[in-house]
């Protein structure tokens, strides 16, 4: 009947609008999730720069030396490697007030380089070096933890930064 026809037309329009909104919402959620995952896995760094090395960074002399490198009056570079299941070097001694630029990589699987009580948090990825800088104003001990699940002893993967007075 004529009434049924009009009703179905209206219903179709209504349905199309809702299908559109549903798809738009799903697309937004998907894009948001992708962005979150990208940041979380260090594909996009949080306030940090990443570059791909043609070498395996963990095997390079800088990472193997385990030494804090002085780069300015109170500036240092630290080359840190995550391994199953420890951070090296550790402990890292830092003079109070020093600004340390960390270069972080992994020798095996993905680890999460987080220094508790600071804003330092980046992903340690094999073959990739992440960087982050931090100024240590307080004389205290900081713990480096792993915040990316990496196997049986993940929770015991703890290093130390000792800020000397
Ligand atoms: Cu390394 Cu979790």
């Amino acid at each position: 009947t004529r009434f049924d026809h009009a009703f179905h037309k209206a219903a179709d329009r209504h349905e199309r609008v809702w299908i559109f909104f549903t798809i738009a919402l799903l697309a937004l959620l998907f894009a948001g999730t992708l962005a979150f995952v990208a940041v979380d896995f260090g594909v996009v760094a949080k306030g940090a720069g990443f570059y791909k090395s043609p070498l395996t960074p963990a095997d390079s002399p800088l990472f193997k030396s385990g030494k804090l490198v002085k780069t300015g009056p109170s500036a240092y570079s630290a080359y840190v490697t995550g391994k199953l299941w420890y951070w090296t070097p550790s402990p890292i001694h830092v003079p109070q007030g020093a600004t340390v630029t960390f270069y972080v990589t992994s020798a095996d699987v993905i680890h999460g380089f987080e220094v508790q009580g600071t804003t330092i948090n980046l992903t340690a990825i094999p073959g990739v070096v992440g960087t982050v800088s931090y100024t240590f104003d307080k004389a205290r001990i900081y713990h480096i933890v792993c915040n990316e699940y990496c196997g049986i002893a993940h929770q015991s993967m703890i290093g130390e930064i000792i800020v000397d007075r």
Side-chain angles (χ1 to χ4, degrees):
T1 67
R2 189 172 286 272
F3 171 77
D4 276 350
H5 185 70
F7 175 78
H8 279 296
K9 259 184 113 170
D12 272 355
R13 209 179 317 116
H14 206 70
E15 226 161 72
R16 269 200 298 276
V17 168
W18 279 104
I19 286 171
F20 172 81
F21 276 115
T22 306
I23 289 171
L25 192 69
L26 280 173
L28 266 176
L29 270 174
F30 183 66
T33 306
L34 263 187
F36 180 81
V37 165
V39 168
D40 205 43
F41 283 87
V43 179
V44 179
K46 294 171 226 173
F50 282 86
Y51 64 90
K52 261 196 156 56
S53 168
L55 307 163
T56 302
D59 290 336
S60 76
L62 278 170
F63 279 94
K64 289 210 143 164
S65 79
K67 289 201 182 94
L68 198 67
V69 181
K70 198 168 163 75
T71 57
S74 67
Y76 298 82
S77 291
Y79 296 84
V80 182
T81 308
K83 290 185 182 175
L84 297 167
W85 285 278
Y86 59 98
W87 295 103
T88 181
S90 177
I92 300 170
H93 281 272
V94 173
Q96 191 175 3
T99 299
V100 180
T101 301
F102 293 91
Y103 295 87
V104 181
T105 192
S106 167
D108 36 52
V109 302
I110 289 176
H111 301 282
F113 180 78
E114 178 177 340
V115 182
Q116 291 184 327
T118 74
T119 53
I120 300 168
N121 182 6
L122 60 84
T123 309
I125 306 168
V128 174
V129 178
T131 73
V132 61
S133 293
Y134 187 83
T135 302
F136 293 91
D137 289 322
K138 289 183 213 132
R140 55 162 279 194
I141 294 170
Y142 291 91
H143 293 290
I144 305 169
V145 299
C146 180
N147 64 13
E148 194 73 60
Y149 182 73
C150 57
I152 191 85
H154 155 74
Q155 72 286 345
S156 66
M157 192 169 160
I158 297 168
E160 250 180 13
I161 295 168
I162 301 172
V163 184
D164 298 307
R165 208 180 285 278

